[in-house]
PDB file of all heavy atoms in Angstrom:
ATOM      1  N   GLU A 347       5.283   6.735  -8.158  1.00  0.00           N
ATOM      2  CA  GLU A 347       4.186   6.161  -7.391  1.00  0.00           C
ATOM      3  C   GLU A 347       3.291   7.255  -6.809  1.00  0.00           C
ATOM      4  O   GLU A 347       2.063   7.093  -6.747  1.00  0.00           O
ATOM      5  CB  GLU A 347       4.732   5.276  -6.270  1.00  0.00           C
ATOM      6  CG  GLU A 347       5.404   4.002  -6.763  1.00  0.00           C
ATOM      7  CD  GLU A 347       5.997   3.185  -5.638  1.00  0.00           C
ATOM      8  OE1 GLU A 347       5.988   3.681  -4.491  1.00  0.00           O
ATOM      9  OE2 GLU A 347       6.461   2.066  -5.901  1.00  0.00           O
ATOM     10  N   LEU A 348       3.910   8.375  -6.380  1.00  0.00           N
ATOM     11  CA  LEU A 348       3.141   9.486  -5.829  1.00  0.00           C
ATOM     12  C   LEU A 348       2.200  10.070  -6.873  1.00  0.00           C
ATOM     13  O   LEU A 348       1.033  10.366  -6.587  1.00  0.00           O
ATOM     14  CB  LEU A 348       4.084  10.564  -5.305  1.00  0.00           C
ATOM     15  CG  LEU A 348       3.424  11.831  -4.739  1.00  0.00           C
ATOM     16  CD1 LEU A 348       2.591  11.486  -3.504  1.00  0.00           C
ATOM     17  CD2 LEU A 348       4.480  12.871  -4.387  1.00  0.00           C
ATOM     18  N   LYS A 349       2.693  10.247  -8.090  1.00  0.00           N
ATOM     19  CA  LYS A 349       1.849  10.780  -9.167  1.00  0.00           C
ATOM     20  C   LYS A 349       0.689   9.832  -9.447  1.00  0.00           C
ATOM     21  O   LYS A 349      -0.462  10.257  -9.578  1.00  0.00           O
ATOM     22  CB  LYS A 349       2.675  10.998 -10.422  1.00  0.00           C
ATOM     23  CG  LYS A 349       1.880  11.582 -11.574  1.00  0.00           C
ATOM     24  CD  LYS A 349       2.770  11.861 -12.788  1.00  0.00           C
ATOM     25  CE  LYS A 349       1.949  12.471 -13.918  1.00  0.00           C
ATOM     26  NZ  LYS A 349       2.790  12.757 -15.110  1.00  0.00           N
ATOM     27  N   ASN A 350       0.989   8.537  -9.531  1.00  0.00           N
ATOM     28  CA  ASN A 350      -0.077   7.567  -9.769  1.00  0.00           C
ATOM     29  C   ASN A 350      -1.088   7.551  -8.635  1.00  0.00           C
ATOM     30  O   ASN A 350      -2.297   7.416  -8.849  1.00  0.00           O
ATOM     31  CB  ASN A 350       0.515   6.162  -9.947  1.00  0.00           C
ATOM     32  CG  ASN A 350       1.141   5.979 -11.309  1.00  0.00           C
ATOM     33  OD1 ASN A 350       0.900   6.775 -12.219  1.00  0.00           O
ATOM     34  ND2 ASN A 350       1.957   4.948 -11.457  1.00  0.00           N
ATOM     35  N   TYR A 351      -0.586   7.677  -7.411  1.00  0.00           N
ATOM     36  CA  TYR A 351      -1.469   7.710  -6.250  1.00  0.00           C
ATOM     37  C   TYR A 351      -2.420   8.897  -6.331  1.00  0.00           C
ATOM     38  O   TYR A 351      -3.620   8.778  -6.087  1.00  0.00           O
ATOM     39  CB  TYR A 351      -0.635   7.794  -4.977  1.00  0.00           C
ATOM     40  CG  TYR A 351      -1.447   8.025  -3.710  1.00  0.00           C
ATOM     41  CD1 TYR A 351      -2.139   6.983  -3.105  1.00  0.00           C
ATOM     42  CD2 TYR A 351      -1.513   9.289  -3.126  1.00  0.00           C
ATOM     43  CE1 TYR A 351      -2.866   7.192  -1.949  1.00  0.00           C
ATOM     44  CE2 TYR A 351      -2.244   9.506  -1.977  1.00  0.00           C
ATOM     45  CZ  TYR A 351      -2.922   8.456  -1.388  1.00  0.00           C
ATOM     46  OH  TYR A 351      -3.646   8.670  -0.254  1.00  0.00           O
ATOM     47  N   GLY A 352      -1.881  10.075  -6.692  1.00  0.00           N
ATOM     48  CA  GLY A 352      -2.715  11.265  -6.809  1.00  0.00           C
ATOM     49  C   GLY A 352      -3.787  11.102  -7.868  1.00  0.00           C
ATOM     50  O   GLY A 352      -4.949  11.446  -7.662  1.00  0.00           O
ATOM     51  N   LEU A 353      -3.399  10.557  -9.011  1.00  0.00           N
ATOM     52  CA  LEU A 353      -4.371  10.352 -10.088  1.00  0.00           C
ATOM     53  C   LEU A 353      -5.426   9.332  -9.680  1.00  0.00           C
ATOM     54  O   LEU A 353      -6.609   9.481 -10.000  1.00  0.00           O
ATOM     55  CB  LEU A 353      -3.646   9.893 -11.362  1.00  0.00           C
ATOM     56  CG  LEU A 353      -2.727  10.929 -12.008  1.00  0.00           C
ATOM     57  CD1 LEU A 353      -1.927  10.299 -13.145  1.00  0.00           C
ATOM     58  CD2 LEU A 353      -3.544  12.111 -12.532  1.00  0.00           C
ATOM     59  N   HIS A 354      -5.000   8.299  -8.961  1.00  0.00           N
ATOM     60  CA  HIS A 354      -5.949   7.287  -8.491  1.00  0.00           C
ATOM     61  C   HIS A 354      -6.927   7.880  -7.487  1.00  0.00           C
ATOM     62  O   HIS A 354      -8.142   7.615  -7.538  1.00  0.00           O
ATOM     63  CB  HIS A 354      -5.197   6.120  -7.855  1.00  0.00           C
ATOM     64  CG  HIS A 354      -6.090   5.104  -7.211  1.00  0.00           C
ATOM     65  ND1 HIS A 354      -6.850   4.208  -7.943  1.00  0.00           N
ATOM     66  CD2 HIS A 354      -6.367   4.856  -5.901  1.00  0.00           C
ATOM     67  CE1 HIS A 354      -7.550   3.453  -7.113  1.00  0.00           C
ATOM     68  NE2 HIS A 354      -7.278   3.824  -5.871  1.00  0.00           N
ATOM     69  N   GLU A 355      -6.414   8.712  -6.574  1.00  0.00           N
ATOM     70  CA  GLU A 355      -7.267   9.312  -5.556  1.00  0.00           C
ATOM     71  C   GLU A 355      -8.334  10.213  -6.179  1.00  0.00           C
ATOM     72  O   GLU A 355      -9.506  10.147  -5.816  1.00  0.00           O
ATOM     73  CB  GLU A 355      -6.410  10.128  -4.579  1.00  0.00           C
ATOM     74  CG  GLU A 355      -5.687   9.291  -3.560  1.00  0.00           C
ATOM     75  CD  GLU A 355      -6.654   8.631  -2.593  1.00  0.00           C
ATOM     76  OE1 GLU A 355      -7.260   9.336  -1.767  1.00  0.00           O
ATOM     77  OE2 GLU A 355      -6.815   7.405  -2.678  1.00  0.00           O
ATOM     78  N   ILE A 356      -7.929  11.065  -7.112  1.00  0.00           N
ATOM     79  CA  ILE A 356      -8.904  11.963  -7.708  1.00  0.00           C
ATOM     80  C   ILE A 356      -9.898  11.193  -8.566  1.00  0.00           C
ATOM     81  O   ILE A 356     -11.080  11.496  -8.592  1.00  0.00           O
ATOM     82  CB  ILE A 356      -8.219  13.084  -8.541  1.00  0.00           C
ATOM     83  CG1 ILE A 356      -9.237  14.145  -8.954  1.00  0.00           C
ATOM     84  CG2 ILE A 356      -7.517  12.540  -9.757  1.00  0.00           C
ATOM     85  CD1 ILE A 356      -9.837  14.939  -7.844  1.00  0.00           C
ATOM     86  N   SER A 357      -9.419  10.135  -9.239  1.00  0.00           N
ATOM     87  CA  SER A 357     -10.326   9.307 -10.036  1.00  0.00           C
ATOM     88  C   SER A 357     -11.349   8.615  -9.146  1.00  0.00           C
ATOM     89  O   SER A 357     -12.547   8.601  -9.432  1.00  0.00           O
ATOM     90  CB  SER A 357      -9.531   8.267 -10.835  1.00  0.00           C
ATOM     91  OG  SER A 357     -10.398   7.419 -11.543  1.00  0.00           O
ATOM     92  N   SER A 358     -10.871   8.060  -8.027  1.00  0.00           N
ATOM     93  CA  SER A 358     -11.779   7.387  -7.092  1.00  0.00           C
ATOM     94  C   SER A 358     -12.770   8.378  -6.494  1.00  0.00           C
ATOM     95  O   SER A 358     -13.944   8.064  -6.312  1.00  0.00           O
ATOM     96  CB  SER A 358     -10.972   6.712  -5.971  1.00  0.00           C
ATOM     97  OG  SER A 358     -10.142   5.706  -6.498  1.00  0.00           O
ATOM     98  N   TYR A 359     -12.279   9.572  -6.197  1.00  0.00           N
ATOM     99  CA  TYR A 359     -13.158  10.563  -5.588  1.00  0.00           C
ATOM    100  C   TYR A 359     -14.260  10.989  -6.546  1.00  0.00           C
ATOM    101  O   TYR A 359     -15.427  11.115  -6.171  1.00  0.00           O
ATOM    102  CB  TYR A 359     -12.358  11.793  -5.148  1.00  0.00           C
ATOM    103  CG  TYR A 359     -13.210  12.815  -4.426  1.00  0.00           C
ATOM    104  CD1 TYR A 359     -13.459  12.693  -3.072  1.00  0.00           C
ATOM    105  CD2 TYR A 359     -13.792  13.869  -5.121  1.00  0.00           C
ATOM    106  CE1 TYR A 359     -14.268  13.602  -2.404  1.00  0.00           C
ATOM    107  CE2 TYR A 359     -14.599  14.793  -4.464  1.00  0.00           C
ATOM    108  CZ  TYR A 359     -14.825  14.650  -3.107  1.00  0.00           C
ATOM    109  OH  TYR A 359     -15.625  15.548  -2.466  1.00  0.00           O
ATOM    110  N   LEU A 360     -13.884  11.200  -7.794  1.00  0.00           N
ATOM    111  CA  LEU A 360     -14.849  11.724  -8.756  1.00  0.00           C
ATOM    112  C   LEU A 360     -15.798  10.657  -9.290  1.00  0.00           C
ATOM    113  O   LEU A 360     -16.870  10.974  -9.779  1.00  0.00           O
ATOM    114  CB  LEU A 360     -14.113  12.399  -9.919  1.00  0.00           C
ATOM    115  CG  LEU A 360     -13.326  13.660  -9.544  1.00  0.00           C
ATOM    116  CD1 LEU A 360     -12.550  14.172 -10.741  1.00  0.00           C
ATOM    117  CD2 LEU A 360     -14.255  14.741  -9.013  1.00  0.00           C
ATOM    118  N   THR A 361     -15.401   9.389  -9.214  1.00  0.00           N
ATOM    119  CA  THR A 361     -16.233   8.329  -9.791  1.00  0.00           C
ATOM    120  C   THR A 361     -16.850   7.401  -8.751  1.00  0.00           C
ATOM    121  O   THR A 361     -17.785   6.666  -9.066  1.00  0.00           O
ATOM    122  CB  THR A 361     -15.411   7.483 -10.779  1.00  0.00           C
ATOM    123  OG1 THR A 361     -14.317   6.872 -10.080  1.00  0.00           O
ATOM    124  CG2 THR A 361     -14.875   8.345 -11.911  1.00  0.00           C
ATOM    125  N   GLY A 362     -16.357   7.420  -7.525  1.00  0.00           N
ATOM    126  CA  GLY A 362     -16.853   6.491  -6.508  1.00  0.00           C
ATOM    127  C   GLY A 362     -18.291   6.781  -6.102  1.00  0.00           C
ATOM    128  O   GLY A 362     -18.652   7.923  -5.813  1.00  0.00           O
ATOM    129  N   ASN A 363     -19.101   5.750  -6.070  1.00  0.00           N
ATOM    130  CA  ASN A 363     -20.515   5.922  -5.724  1.00  0.00           C
ATOM    131  C   ASN A 363     -20.716   6.282  -4.254  1.00  0.00           C
ATOM    132  O   ASN A 363     -21.754   6.826  -3.875  1.00  0.00           O
ATOM    133  CB  ASN A 363     -21.291   4.640  -6.055  1.00  0.00           C
ATOM    134  CG  ASN A 363     -21.405   4.406  -7.546  1.00  0.00           C
ATOM    135  OD1 ASN A 363     -21.483   5.362  -8.327  1.00  0.00           O
ATOM    136  ND2 ASN A 363     -21.420   3.140  -7.961  1.00  0.00           N
ATOM    137  N   ASP A 364     -19.709   5.948  -3.414  1.00  0.00           N
ATOM    138  CA  ASP A 364     -19.846   6.204  -1.986  1.00  0.00           C
ATOM    139  C   ASP A 364     -19.292   7.564  -1.583  1.00  0.00           C
ATOM    140  O   ASP A 364     -19.282   7.915  -0.404  1.00  0.00           O
ATOM    141  CB  ASP A 364     -19.139   5.111  -1.185  1.00  0.00           C
ATOM    142  CG  ASP A 364     -17.659   5.032  -1.508  1.00  0.00           C
ATOM    143  OD1 ASP A 364     -17.276   5.461  -2.614  1.00  0.00           O
ATOM    144  OD2 ASP A 364     -16.893   4.535  -0.669  1.00  0.00           O
TER     145      ASP A 364
END
Side-chain angles (χ1 to χ4, degrees):
E347 291 177 353
L348 178 64
K349 181 177 181 180
N350 284 345
Y351 172 78
L353 293 172
H354 174 74
E355 282 293 290
I356 190 66
S357 177
S358 297
Y359 184 84
L360 294 175
T361 61
N363 291 327
D364 60 336

